[in-house]
Amino acid sequence: MLTTTYSLVALTAEQKNSRSILSKLQAQIHGILHDLKSMNRTCVETALHKLEQFEEYCHKRKVEIYVIPAVRQTTREADPILAELDSLSSHGLHILRHLHDQLRHAFDQGLVEVKKVCSAMESYCHHLLKRLEKEEDELLPLLKSLLPTEQWFDIAAKFLSEDAKRKQQNLSFI
């Protein structure tokens, strides 16, 4: 029972961190949209780069690496939710990949095209926010009943191992 609680608390903290990062990215994009008169290419490129970093971060989250694969191996009960999560991620990734092509030409074509790029970045954030909400509102509440205690123990052990590795990596810079 404690391993389940620990794991769910760790997942909730991870969700909170993800939402915080996404919120900051959305604020940055919103700021760019309000200051398009200066059409600062560097700001837009930096925002796109940060979105790409966030995409990488999302794929390294504990829910992605450990929990979703465990659920897929254990039961088909969560398949509809997992399919929606996959669809949201896939659509967001498609937007992100398309942004590079758009950005290359946007500044040459003018303000309207730069606005389209920023709108696409906002759309990416919207899809990721919907994914995070679906994870929080539907997947996380289901997890307790979907996974047996032994699997929670295994997941908690992996969480602890990953946290220890991260801590060790941070200490290696000291």
Side-chain angles (χ1 to χ4, degrees):
M1 186 61 138
L2 286 177
T3 56
T4 304
T5 303
Y6 163 74
S7 298
L8 290 172
V9 167
L11 290 171
T12 301
E14 183 177 69
Q15 290 294 108
K16 185 177 180 182
N17 187 48
S18 297
R19 277 181 168 278
S20 174
I21 294 168
L22 187 57
S23 176
K24 289 175 186 173
L25 290 171
Q26 286 177 305
Q28 181 179 3
I29 294 164
H30 194 69
I32 291 169
L33 273 169
H34 284 304
D35 193 27
L36 277 178
K37 291 175 188 149
S38 66
M39 281 186 46
N40 187 334
R41 183 182 198 115
T42 303
C43 287
V44 177
E45 288 173 344
T46 299
L48 179 56
H49 180 69
K50 287 181 181 181
L51 290 177
E52 292 169 335
Q53 288 176 320
F54 183 68
E55 180 71 23
E56 284 181 43
Y57 165 80
C58 284
H59 292 292
K60 293 177 182 177
R61 294 176 307 139
K62 292 172 181 161
V63 71
E64 288 272 343
I65 294 173
Y66 304 114
V67 177
I68 290 175
V71 170
R72 283 195 166 120
Q73 288 175 346
T74 303
T75 182
R76 305 313 258 162
E77 194 175 330
D79 283 356
I81 294 169
L82 296 178
E84 286 183 61
L85 295 175
D86 288 344
S87 176
L88 289 166
S89 290
S90 178
H91 194 75
L93 186 58
H94 175 74
I95 291 169
L96 198 56
R97 287 182 179 154
H98 190 268
L99 276 168
H100 279 285
D101 295 333
Q102 282 183 291
L103 186 58
R104 268 189 222 117
H105 306 290
F107 281 89
D108 297 333
Q109 295 174 354
L111 185 63
V112 171
E113 292 302 311
V114 176
K115 279 185 180 181
K116 285 181 184 177
V117 167
C118 292
S119 293
M121 286 193 282
E122 283 186 320
S123 179
Y124 167 82
C125 292
H126 176 74
H127 279 82
L128 267 285
L129 182 60
K130 281 178 69 175
R131 179 187 168 104
L132 293 173
E133 287 171 351
K134 185 159 280 296
E135 287 173 357
E136 289 170 18
D137 297 343
E138 296 181 38
L139 182 64
L140 293 182
L142 262 180
L143 289 177
K144 255 184 165 175
S145 64
L146 291 179
L147 299 175
T149 304
E150 307 80 46
Q151 212 157 13
W152 279 114
F153 184 79
D154 185 47
I155 289 170
K158 289 175 182 175
F159 284 9
L160 289 170
S161 175
E162 182 180 308
D163 291 346
K165 284 179 190 173
R166 285 184 184 170
K167 187 175 183 180
Q168 188 65 28
Q169 287 171 346
N170 289 339
L171 290 176
S172 67
F173 292 108
I174 295 175

